[in-house]
């Protein structure tokens, strides 16, 4: 009887393997879309997940980057430079890139610009920028990207192309959201609809009217209303028009949007059923000194940073007990009041000091606590987890991620609420 049960189990495994390979052969190897029956364009691989071990399909790796903060994005950029160095050292691959070790990225404000630099495909098929090159880009162009308030008449009546817009045009040329290497989410606030608008690679591939030039995406998410005012733009085909201001106004910390997008996007992440199936790195950019704020734009920044902390708390609660390993937040654990007045070169030193601080963790129902590990220690540990997942995929028969690269299909949800974070670990 024992031998019979073993034979039955073997038969079930063989049958399942045959079914999976049949799907891979018919749907992936010979074409992503089914022209005769669009509803079957993406195979329902999730139907097999109940038969498989929870870890078989691996974990989806998500990178999230806050808006400017007190370091104008340099803390996040330096964090990624350290992480990329760690990945190259531990993997033995001198060309390892941030884009190669993450499956999705979300960035707001200058964090959106950083995401665009690291995940837009260059002419050689590789990311346009390495992490070190992105750090230099932000420091060299800080005065253009993080603009100072202009006079009312200059801002409203004599609206001209800003230095930032010229910079982005030179950097990204004619590249669009379709030219990004991985799923990208970059928010802004649309004054026409009075609601957040999220630029999404998935939407650009799936629907007419949602592909935008990357230079416009970066201009929109970093458009400080107290500087050059709203940025008006249209989609590539002219169907969608928005009047955008800084993504930090509505979504300074895009982690919740990124997590819910992945959990709802069964086309590209077929086996991702809950937060235990995720590896999330969330990067802050330092906290501003409230007592040093003396302008309306400064108060907007403070409000955005407060919202970022609330998102961190909410996401930490959603991850629950698995959050210690699956969710890492890098942020300064104390205010550095002088950071905003420093030159860009000095901000590099300030950011390094922040990375040397002990990491702050949000604990379920217990607020926040200072951990024993520093932010750099956390990045090293997280880098090890990214490499483990990268190596695991080399021998897996199941696709953890199935990127869209061809014909449109029904729109994937890009919900920006926390409703999908309720799954337990």
């Amino acid at each position: 009887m024992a031998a019979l049960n073993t034979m039955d189990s073997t038969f079930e495994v063989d049958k399942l393997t045959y079914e999976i390979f049949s799907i891979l052969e018919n749907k992936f190897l010979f074409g992503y879309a089914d022209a005769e029956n669009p509803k079957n364009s993406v195979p329902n691989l999730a139907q097999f997940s109940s038969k498989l071990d929870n870890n078989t399909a691996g974990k989806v790796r998500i990178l999230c980057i806050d808006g400017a903060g007190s370091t104008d994005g340099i803390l996040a950029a330096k964090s990624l430079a350290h992480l990329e160095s760690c990945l190259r050292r531990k993997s033995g691959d001198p060309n390892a890139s941030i884009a190669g070790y993450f499956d999705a990225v979300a960035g707001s404000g200058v964090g959106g610009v950083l995401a665009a630099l690291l995940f837009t495909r260059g002419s050689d098929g590789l990311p346009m920028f390495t992490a070190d090159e992105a750090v230099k880009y932000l420091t060299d162009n800080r005065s253009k990207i993080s603009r100072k308030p202009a006079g009312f008449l200059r801002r409203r009546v004599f609206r001209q192309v800003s230095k930032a817009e010229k910079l982005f045009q030179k950097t990204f040329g004619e590249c669009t959201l379709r030219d990004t290497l991985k799923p990208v989410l970059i928010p802004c606030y649309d004054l026409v609809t009075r609601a957040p608008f999220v630029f999404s690679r998935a939407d650009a591939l799936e629907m007419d009217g949602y592909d935008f030039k990357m230079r416009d995406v970066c201009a929109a998410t970093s458009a400080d209303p107290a500087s050059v005012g709203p940025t008006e733009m249209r989609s590539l085909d002219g169907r969608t028009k928005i009047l955008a201001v800084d993504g930090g106004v509505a979504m300074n910390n895009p982690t919740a949007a990124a997590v819910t997008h992945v959990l709802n996007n069964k086309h590209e992440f077929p086996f991702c059923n809950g937060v235990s199936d995720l590896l999330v790195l969330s990067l802050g950019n330092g906290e501003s000194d409230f007592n040093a704020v003396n302008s309306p734009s400064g108060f907007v920044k403070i409000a955005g940073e407060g919202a970022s902390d609330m998102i961190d708390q909410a996401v930490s609660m959603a991850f629950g007990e698995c959050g210690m390993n699956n969710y890492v937040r890098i942020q300064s654990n104390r205010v550095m009041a002088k950071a905003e007045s420093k030159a860009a070169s000095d901000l590099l030193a300030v950011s390094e000091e922040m990375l040397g601080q002990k990491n702050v963790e949000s604990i379920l129902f217990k607020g926040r606590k200072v951990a024993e590990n520093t932010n750099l220690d956390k990045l090293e540990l997280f880098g090890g987890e990214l490499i483990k997942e990268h190596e695991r995929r080399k021998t897996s028969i199941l696709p953890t991620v199935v990127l869209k690269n061809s014909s449109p299909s029904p729109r994937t949800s890009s919900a920006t609420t926390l409703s999908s974070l309720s799954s337990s670990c």
Side-chain angles (χ1 to χ4, degrees):
M1 180 64 70
L4 181 60
N5 288 336
T6 301
M7 291 178 62
D8 290 342
S9 299
T10 302
F11 175 77
E12 287 296 326
V13 172
D14 289 343
K15 180 181 178 182
L16 176 59
T17 302
Y18 172 79
E19 291 174 335
I20 291 173
F21 272 108
S22 294
I23 288 177
L24 292 174
E25 180 181 62
N26 293 327
K27 298 297 183 181
F28 298 134
L29 300 182
F30 297 108
Y32 185 86
D34 184 342
E36 294 183 358
N37 190 359
K39 294 183 178 180
N40 293 331
S41 293
V42 180
N44 185 18
L45 294 176
Q47 64 182 304
F48 296 110
S49 61
S50 62
K51 303 179 182 180
L52 302 171
D53 181 83
N54 288 334
N55 295 320
T56 302
K59 292 180 171 62
V60 176
R61 305 160 301 182
I62 306 174
L63 172 63
C64 307
I65 313 173
D66 281 15
S70 62
T71 64
D72 290 339
I74 295 177
L75 174 58
K78 287 293 292 182
S79 299
L80 291 172
H82 280 288
L83 179 60
E84 190 170 80
S85 175
C86 167
L87 294 172
R88 291 178 175 182
R89 183 177 69 253
K90 290 186 175 183
S91 69
D93 179 5
N95 298 314
S97 67
I98 293 296
Y101 281 82
F102 282 95
D103 304 310
V105 62
S108 184
V110 71
V113 175
L114 185 53
L117 295 174
L118 296 174
F119 284 80
T120 301
R121 182 185 291 105
S123 58
D124 57 359
L126 301 175
M128 275 190 174
F129 286 72
T130 66
D132 280 332
E133 290 169 345
V135 172
K136 187 175 187 305
Y137 182 94
L138 291 187
T139 54
D140 289 349
N141 298 291
R142 179 191 175 215
S143 62
K144 298 177 182 178
I145 300 173
S146 302
R147 293 151 287 185
K148 301 300 180 183
F152 178 83
L153 288 178
R154 178 185 172 190
R155 184 170 69 246
R156 300 297 183 189
V157 181
F158 303 107
R159 174 69 165 87
Q160 297 178 348
V161 177
S162 69
K163 292 182 179 179
E165 290 170 310
K166 292 179 181 178
L167 173 67
F168 297 143
Q169 182 173 354
K170 181 179 179 181
T171 303
F172 296 102
E174 298 301 310
C175 291
T176 75
L177 283 166
R178 290 173 175 259
D179 296 313
T180 51
L181 293 160
K182 302 288 179 67
V184 170
L185 298 170
I186 299 179
C188 67
Y189 187 83
D190 181 18
L191 295 178
V192 175
T193 60
R194 297 185 181 182
F197 184 94
V198 180
F199 298 100
S200 167
R201 178 184 185 272
D203 289 347
L205 288 168
E206 295 169 358
M207 297 182 66
D208 293 332
Y210 285 90
D211 192 20
F212 290 81
K213 291 182 179 180
M214 291 305 297
R215 66 195 191 200
D216 291 339
V217 172
C218 290
T221 195
S222 61
D224 186 349
S227 179
V228 297
T231 298
E232 182 178 331
M233 64 185 59
R234 293 179 182 272
S235 59
L236 207 61
D237 59 10
R239 294 189 181 188
T240 304
K241 175 183 175 181
I242 62 173
L243 190 61
V245 293
D246 190 350
V249 171
M251 203 182 298
N252 198 56
N253 181 344
T255 304
V259 170
T260 51
H261 174 82
V262 169
L263 292 179
N264 283 296
N265 189 345
K266 291 303 181 184
H267 289 173
E268 293 187 302
F269 310 104
F271 292 103
C272 190
N273 297 314
V275 293
S276 60
D277 298 324
L278 304 176
L279 284 175
V280 179
L281 175 63
S282 175
L283 301 178
N285 272 305
E287 297 177 344
S288 303
D289 182 7
F290 183 82
N291 295 321
V293 174
N294 55 10
S295 67
S297 62
F299 281 106
V300 170
K301 179 180 287 188
I302 289 290
E305 291 169 14
S308 293
D309 288 339
M310 291 183 65
I311 292 294
D312 175 38
Q313 288 278 342
V315 172
S316 295
M317 292 182 68
F319 273 83
E321 295 301 326
C322 70
M324 298 293 291
N325 298 317
N326 293 34
Y327 173 66
V328 171
R329 171 75 170 168
I330 302 297
Q331 176 66 302
S332 170
N333 64 24
R334 65 179 183 271
V335 171
M336 292 192 168
K338 297 181 180 180
E340 293 184 4
S341 63
K342 289 181 178 291
S345 58
D346 294 328
L347 282 178
L348 291 170
V350 170
S351 297
E352 287 286 356
E353 182 180 345
M354 290 178 174
L355 288 172
Q357 295 175 356
K358 290 187 176 181
N359 185 259
V360 176
E361 297 176 347
S362 294
I363 307 299
L364 185 62
F365 302 124
K366 296 182 181 179
R368 304 170 74 185
K369 76 170 186 179
V370 177
E372 290 300 318
N373 295 327
T374 65
N375 283 321
L376 282 176
D377 293 334
K378 282 286 189 179
L379 287 171
E380 284 278 333
L381 292 171
F382 194 82
E385 293 301 313
L386 293 177
I387 290 175
K388 286 180 184 178
E389 173 60 21
H390 190 77
E391 293 300 313
R392 186 206 62 76
R393 294 184 187 184
K394 293 180 180 179
T395 58
S396 175
I397 65 171
L398 296 177
T400 305
V401 180
V402 185
L403 293 182
K404 297 184 179 69
N405 289 303
S406 56
S407 58
S409 58
R411 186 179 184 183
T412 300
S413 171
S414 298
T416 56
T417 67
L418 285 173
S419 60
S420 298
L421 291 175
S422 59
S423 300
S424 64
C425 297

